[in-house]
Amino acid sequence: MLAAMSASPPPPPSPGAACARSSGDACPGTLRLHRADDGALARIRIPGGILTPPQADVLGRAAERLGDGELHLTSRGNVQLRGLAEDAGPRLAELLAGAGLLPSARHERVRNVVASPLSGLDGLGDGDVGPWLTALDRLVCASEAATALSGRFLFALDDGRGDVDALGADVTLIARAGGALLRVGATDTVLAVPAAEAPRAALLAAEVFLDAARDTGAWRVADLAGTEAAALPGTVLRRLRRAGTDAVTHRHPRPPEARPPAPGPVPGGRGSTALAVGVPLGRMSAAQWRLLSGGGGLRLTPWRGAVVTGVPVGRVPGHLASLAAAGLITGPGSGWAGVGACIGRPGCAKSLADVRAHAAAAVGEPGRLPVYWSGCERRCGHPHGEWIDVVAAPGGGHRISRVHGNRSEVLTAVGDDPAALASAVASARGTRTA
């Protein structure tokens, strides 16, 4: 049985902030629990968000038996269990290992891989990234060098539609007809490589980053200085060619924003189909989880939702009706669409407000921009692209800003009056930048 580590120190600074390696990587995992105000927290990495029905069943039972009975989806398609007892780690590790969710004790926190959730399901994109996902996870778990990656380092596998390419991963593979593009960080310079060599090229790019990180103390590519990050593609290119991989450079700008699958049936199924489902605030009870996963396989998305695969066509209307009745998002028009929040009070000691309750009170008509509620300036789990940023203020109330990439514009500050707050958020969500 795998031994679990004790609860970790407090979490790192806000996403995007530089973090020196000397401070230690405090990202939680399955074997290293994080101590929160509502008990211990475990983060289970699920590469590509893909779960078989038996694996989903194990996670649901773990939430009920060991945690607070809820499953929390993350912005990387992973699952968090909260409210765990301090000594729950060994039992949790045993359950997950038995389900194939813990293939390597030394690599469990570095299996951070997001993938286009509709790849191979709707006939769109330039290729099915499923084989890449399997190969990359095996390569990472077999790599001694990969154990030095932080729990924040992220791989993305995009099938060519641009959805997860827009998420700002550290290493991104993009399918294209006859091959693959490899992006390191946010640069527009990509490397064209043979499709069969793509997973190995992605791991090599991560190893090149680690070489640079030894001298800089960076956890992620974005932590590197501009000149150091810009040099990575050239270094990767030389290393690939030395290894016998044919690679050439191209210009391929990253998409400006990532769009989740539209809730409802996924077009293109024959005999069976897939259903895209939104989860309000990414938080499900064990009963909701059982209902969701009982329809077929699951693909958890980086937008805190899920795609249920292999649903017989004849069962689609009834299953959608059951999911909607359980409070999940199954079609257009839901006010919950695009609404996210950190855990807030009482789960997080750093939070200044119960932002989930405030978000629920402000839900109204769907907005044109996503909105994310944060209990403090760290903004844990915030989205990418253009979005409305609602942050609890130290003296009470909230500050509302519009974020677009690296730019942020403060729109207004509002007190805790629910009606005024809801009105201000609705107004902000209905305005796009030029």
Side-chain angles (χ1 to χ4, degrees), residues 131-132 135-136 139 173 176 178-180 193-202 245-246:
W132 285 354
L136 178 60
L139 287 169
L173 287 177
R176 70 168 189 169
V193 299
E197 295 295 319
R200 195 169 298 278
T245 298
D246 184 24

Side-chain angles (χ1 to χ4, degrees), residues 82-258:
R82 303 186 67 97
L84 300 166
E86 291 289 336
D87 61 354
R91 178 57 180 150
L92 177 63
E94 182 180 42
L95 287 173
L96 299 183
L101 291 169
L102 197 55
S104 169
R106 300 190 65 212
H107 297 83
E108 63 102 2
R109 291 191 305 143
V110 304
R111 300 172 69 227
N112 291 307
V113 188
V114 296
S116 297
L118 298 184
S119 185
L121 296 177
D122 60 357
L124 302 179
D126 291 320
D128 185 351
V129 299
W132 285 354
L133 178 63
T134 301
L136 178 60
D137 191 37
R138 286 176 178 167
L139 287 169
V140 168
C141 288
S143 168
E144 179 64 27
T147 61
L149 293 171
S150 81
R152 305 159 210 164
F153 193 90
L154 180 64
F155 295 93
L157 307 180
D158 192 296
D159 70 357
R161 72 185 71 209
D163 53 355
V164 297
D165 186 17
L167 295 178
D170 297 282
V171 174
T172 304
L173 287 177
I174 308 156
R176 70 168 189 169
L181 301 177
L182 172 65
R183 188 191 309 280
V184 187
T187 177
D188 289 347
T189 299
V190 299
L191 305 179
V193 299
E197 295 295 319
R200 195 169 298 278
L203 178 59
L204 184 146
E207 292 171 348
V208 168
F209 161 76
L210 285 172
D211 290 341
R214 289 188 185 97
D215 298 326
T216 64
W219 287 118
R220 301 194 61 189
V221 172
D223 296 334
L224 295 172
T227 54
E228 293 164 338
L232 288 180
T235 306
V236 173
L237 177 64
R238 292 189 292 273
R239 289 271 298 273
L240 286 171
R241 287 177 173 173
R242 285 202 301 269
T245 298
D246 184 24
V248 295
T249 59
H250 283 278
R251 177 177 166 78
H252 187 80
R254 198 175 73 189
E257 56 185 333

Side-chain angles (χ1 to χ4, degrees), residues 41-407:
L41 174 154
R43 183 177 300 159
I44 299 102
R45 266 71 174 187
I46 304 169
I50 294 180
L51 289 167
T52 64
Q55 288 174 330
D57 180 63
V58 166
L59 283 175
R61 286 189 284 115
E64 285 187 305
R65 297 177 183 179
L66 305 176
D68 61 6
E70 295 187 330
L71 299 99
H72 299 258
L73 308 187
T74 78
S75 59
R76 293 183 167 194
N78 295 321
V79 170
Q80 290 188 163
L81 303 182
R82 303 186 67 97
L84 300 166
E86 291 289 336
D87 61 354
R91 178 57 180 150
L92 177 63
E94 182 180 42
L95 287 173
L96 299 183
L101 291 169
L102 197 55
S104 169
R106 300 190 65 212
H107 297 83
E108 63 102 2
R109 291 191 305 143
V110 304
R111 300 172 69 227
N112 291 307
V113 188
V114 296
S116 297
L118 298 184
S119 185
L121 296 177
D122 60 357
L124 302 179
D126 291 320
D128 185 351
V129 299
W132 285 354
L133 178 63
T134 301
L136 178 60
D137 191 37
R138 286 176 178 167
L139 287 169
V140 168
C141 288
S143 168
E144 179 64 27
T147 61
L149 293 171
S150 81
R152 305 159 210 164
F153 193 90
L154 180 64
F155 295 93
L157 307 180
D158 192 296
D159 70 357
R161 72 185 71 209
D163 53 355
V164 297
D165 186 17
L167 295 178
D170 297 282
V171 174
T172 304
L173 287 177
I174 308 156
R176 70 168 189 169
L181 301 177
L182 172 65
R183 188 191 309 280
V184 187
T187 177
D188 289 347
T189 299
V190 299
L191 305 179
V193 299
E197 295 295 319
R200 195 169 298 278
L203 178 59
L204 184 146
E207 292 171 348
V208 168
F209 161 76
L210 285 172
D211 290 341
R214 289 188 185 97
D215 298 326
T216 64
W219 287 118
R220 301 194 61 189
V221 172
D223 296 334
L224 295 172
T227 54
E228 293 164 338
L232 288 180
T235 306
V236 173
L237 177 64
R238 292 189 292 273
R239 289 271 298 273
L240 286 171
R241 287 177 173 173
R242 285 202 301 269
T245 298
D246 184 24
V248 295
T249 59
H250 283 278
R251 177 177 166 78
H252 187 80
R254 198 175 73 189
E257 56 185 333
R259 292 292 184 186
V266 176
R270 295 181 180 178
S272 66
T273 191
L275 306 177
V277 180
V279 178
L281 300 182
R283 182 178 182 178
M284 277 183 285
S285 67
Q288 288 175 313
W289 178 261
R290 280 194 297 269
L291 182 62
L292 182 71
S293 59
L298 282 186
R299 296 185 182 184
L300 307 180
T301 79
W303 300 277
R304 295 182 173 88
V307 176
V308 187
T309 61
V311 182
V313 171
R315 289 187 54 200
V316 167
H319 196 49
L320 281 175
S322 297
L323 293 172
L328 301 176
I329 304 169
T330 59
S334 171
W336 279 109
V339 179
C342 70
I343 194 65
R345 285 181 178 171
C348 177
K350 293 184 180 296
S351 180
L352 301 173
D354 184 351
V355 289
R356 293 194 168 211
H358 293 169
V363 167
E365 294 298 316
R368 287 180 290 181
L369 289 177
V371 57
Y372 197 78
W373 297 70
S374 300
C376 73
E377 296 289 347
R378 295 183 305 162
R379 298 173 175 83
C380 294
H382 68 78
H384 295 266
E386 188 177 5
W387 50 287
I388 299 302
D389 179 40
V390 185
V391 181
H398 297 74
R399 186 181 68 252
I400 302 175
S401 306
R402 185 166 55 239
V403 177
H404 196 168
N406 293 325
R407 295 185 288 113

